[in-house]
Amino acid sequence: FPVTIRPLPCIGVDSGLGLERLTYILSNKNSVYEVLGDRNPVVEDHLRTCKWIISEGIKPSNTKHGYVLRKLLRRLIQRQKDVKDNKFINSQIYQDEYKRYKRSLILGEKKLKEINNPTYQDFLDLYQTYGIPVELSENLVLNIKKQARQCKY
């Protein structure tokens, strides 16, 4: 196949700088995160990534890209008070995953209450079965113990 190389009608360069980096440079801020103001940078990164993955037609699932999306959505759910994008929070994908995650948390908490002195392995099992992160399971145990102490008095 003969190849003909022609110049583009409009020559441009993609520096890969990105809007936030450009704003940070032009506004004389000390970091990209100062541009975000009172918004949480981790939440903003997760939110942007979720939107991008969803725009590619990927749905939350237990495998591959869907698993990454599910993990990011669940981290956003845990920090929902920091998510400033109401349109995203009210989206069907977010709401569906929110309901699934809350059901998992209820089942996981129920399971935790059945275990007298949970071990790290129990926490890992809860993570594998219900998708509850280990640190969240540890917090649930602390809350269960606190409730139990309050019931005694």
Side-chain angles (χ1 to χ4, degrees):
F1 295 105
V3 177
T4 304
I5 298 176
R6 292 175 283 148
L8 294 171
C10 180
I11 299 173
V13 176
D14 181 1
S15 67
L17 194 61
L19 182 61
E20 286 170 345
R21 284 192 195 103
L22 180 62
T23 306
Y24 136 71
I25 291 167
L26 294 176
S27 63
N28 291 321
K29 301 287 184 183
N30 292 321
S31 77
V32 174
Y33 296 115
E34 283 185 28
V35 173
L36 295 172
D38 66 343
R39 295 178 298 175
N40 182 314
V42 173
V43 168
E44 292 300 314
D45 285 345
H46 284 22
L47 189 58
R48 184 181 313 107
T49 304
C50 284
K51 288 178 180 181
W52 182 262
I53 294 171
I54 291 167
S55 76
E56 294 293 314
I58 296 166
K59 305 273 189 262
S61 70
N62 293 334
T63 59
K64 298 183 182 179
H65 303 57
Y67 179 72
V68 172
L69 177 58
R70 173 166 282 164
K71 292 283 292 172
L72 290 169
L73 283 169
R74 289 182 175 197
R75 290 193 73 187
L76 284 173
I77 290 166
Q78 290 172 359
R79 302 180 80 146
Q80 188 165 349
K81 65 178 176 35
D82 295 330
V83 180
K84 306 292 186 205
D85 188 335
N86 288 331
K87 184 177 178 185
F88 183 76
I89 288 175
N90 293 322
S91 71
Q92 193 64 51
I93 288 177
Y94 185 89
Q95 287 298 313
D96 289 347
E97 191 58 34
Y98 179 87
K99 290 172 190 168
R100 276 192 294 272
Y101 190 45
K102 289 301 176 185
R103 273 195 308 265
S104 291
L105 288 176
I106 290 167
L107 291 171
E109 187 172 5
K110 200 176 190 181
K111 186 71 174 170
L112 265 175
K113 286 180 179 179
E114 295 171 4
I115 304 169
N116 286 333
N117 292 311
T119 64
Y120 189 73
Q121 185 59 49
D122 292 324
F123 293 150
L124 290 176
D125 292 343
L126 286 169
Y127 176 71
Q128 289 179 333
T129 306
Y130 301 104
I132 301 171
V134 171
E135 63 274 7
L136 190 56
S137 292
E138 291 170 336
N139 287 340
L140 286 171
V141 167
L142 292 174
N143 287 338
I144 291 167
K145 288 180 178 181
K146 183 179 177 183
Q147 289 171 359
R149 280 194 304 272
Q150 289 173 349
C151 288
K152 289 180 182 178
Y153 298 110

